[in-house]
């Protein structure tokens, strides 16, 4: 579990805002220190550098997702669980759009193996919670068994990634919850047994 001070959280929030407006290349420790209103030396008391800030953002997101998904897992199952997972993700990204930039930036994957490991961890958290809901939907006859449950998870995750990417390109315009709910309902119709 990541332990983060309130100041470190403020720093990753500010880093996220810079990423949103300036992209990965625009996130520098100098720019971030200016945004926070203190020196670069003060920033280095909280993080060793840009990579540590990005890793902290990704770690925070993975931990937050795990907590949110685990709470849903204990209450719902099958298709209801799948819808709830989508809803909590849509609500989170609507409230924190800068995390969209971090998670869905292809250029971030070119930064380091350490960052890639943390992106992979986020994908594992999603998979861990999506797969049982798909398997249960297949077992109850709601969802097709022609497509392997693991492949359905990939389809859902890829579809969600594309939705977030399009929302980012639109400068976060539109009702994300409405658009996202339409997407999950479309996916469910495609995957539904005849």
């Amino acid at each position: 579990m990541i332990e983060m001070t309130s100041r470190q959280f403020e720093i990753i929030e500010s880093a996220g805002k810079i990423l949103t407006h300036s992209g990965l290349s625009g996130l520098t420790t100098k720019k971030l220190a200016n945004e926070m209103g203190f020196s670069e030396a003060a920033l280095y008391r909280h993080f060793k550098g840009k990579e540590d800030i990005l890793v902290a953002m990704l770690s925070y997101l993975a931990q937050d997702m795990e907590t949110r998904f685990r709470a849903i897992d204990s209450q719902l199952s099958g298709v209801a669980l799948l819808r709830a997972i989508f809803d909590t993700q849509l609500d989170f990204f609507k409230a924190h759009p800068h995390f969209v930039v971090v998670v869905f930036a292809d250029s971030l994957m070119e930064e380091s193996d350490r960052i890639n490991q943390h992106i992979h961890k986020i994908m594992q958290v999603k998979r861990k919670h999506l797969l049982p809901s798909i398997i249960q939907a297949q077992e109850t006859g709601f969802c097709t068994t022609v497509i392997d449950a693991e492949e359905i998870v990939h389809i859902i995750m890829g579809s969600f990634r594309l939705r977030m990417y399009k929302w980012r390109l639109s400068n976060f315009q539109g009702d994300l919850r409405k658009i996202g709910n339409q997407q999950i309902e479309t996916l469910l119709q495609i995957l539904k047994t005849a």
Side-chain angles (χ1 to χ4, degrees), residues 34-64:
N34 287 339
E35 176 79 20
M36 294 297 300
F38 49 66
S39 69
E40 279 186 86
L43 181 66
Y44 289 122
R45 283 194 288 264
H46 300 284
F47 292 103
K48 292 179 184 174
K50 179 177 171 177
E51 181 177 311
D52 282 351
I53 293 166
L54 293 168
V55 165
M57 292 177 82
L58 294 166
S59 295
Y60 171 80
L61 181 58
Q63 183 177 317
D64 183 75

Side-chain angles (χ1 to χ4, degrees), residues 12 27-28 80 82-83 86 94 100 107 117-118 163:
I12 68 168
L27 177 61
T28 63
L82 184 61
R83 285 184 176 115
F86 254 77
K94 186 173 182 180
V100 171
S107 58
Q117 289 170 1
H118 283 82
R163 174 59 55 206

